Amino acid sequence: MAEHIPIGSDHAGFEMKEHLSKVLTTLGYEVEDLGTHSAESTDYADFAHPVAREVSSGDARRGILLCGTGLGMSYAANRWPRVRAAVAWTPEVAKLSREHNDANILVIPARCLSDEEGVRIMETWLNTPFDGGRHERRIAKIERADEGDA
Ligand code: RB5
């Protein structure tokens, strides 16, 4: 069964979202486009939360977000339990965000990259498994922020 991937952006990521959605469909993923649906000015959190909600609840294993810098989307998405939203600006960062951090949301800084760079980052991220091992322990500590030094 095709993996279902929710994707969202604000106006700054709109054009690249359209491009990446087409690429995802071509690659065989089932894309759920949660907006925005035009280049009209919007607020990034309105699109970060619906994507993060799906990943947090387990309705989707992974999701993709885009805004100008990637920062606003990551701040909003990372407020959700079990969400690890990683801003990736190179394929190497995307790879490490999967191998070391088991990132379950990829955040792309659309104003800083070409469409081709965005595609390379997305493909690398989608195709890289989590390394596990010592990184399991480190990720578990993220969830224990209220325990001081864990
Ligand atoms: C929108 O102008 C821009 O602020 C937004 O896309 C994002 O970069 C915020 O973090």
Side-chain angles (χ1 to χ4, degrees), residues 10-13 41-42 44 66-75 111:
D10 68 356
H11 54 288
S41 183
T42 54
Y44 49 81
L66 305 91
C67 66
T69 60
L71 298 175
M73 285 296 191
S74 67
Y75 299 158
R111 280 188 175 149

Side-chain angles (χ1 to χ4, degrees), residues 6-17:
I7 188 168
S9 76
D10 68 356
H11 54 288
F14 169 68
E15 280 183 19
M16 193 184 288
K17 172 175 69 63

Side-chain angles (χ1 to χ4, degrees), residues 80-100:
W80 286 77
R82 297 172 293 280
V83 163
R84 291 177 297 281
V87 183
W89 58 95
T90 66
E92 181 64 10
V93 174
K95 183 168 173 279
L96 287 167
S97 82
R98 290 286 313 127
E99 288 177 344
H100 288 196

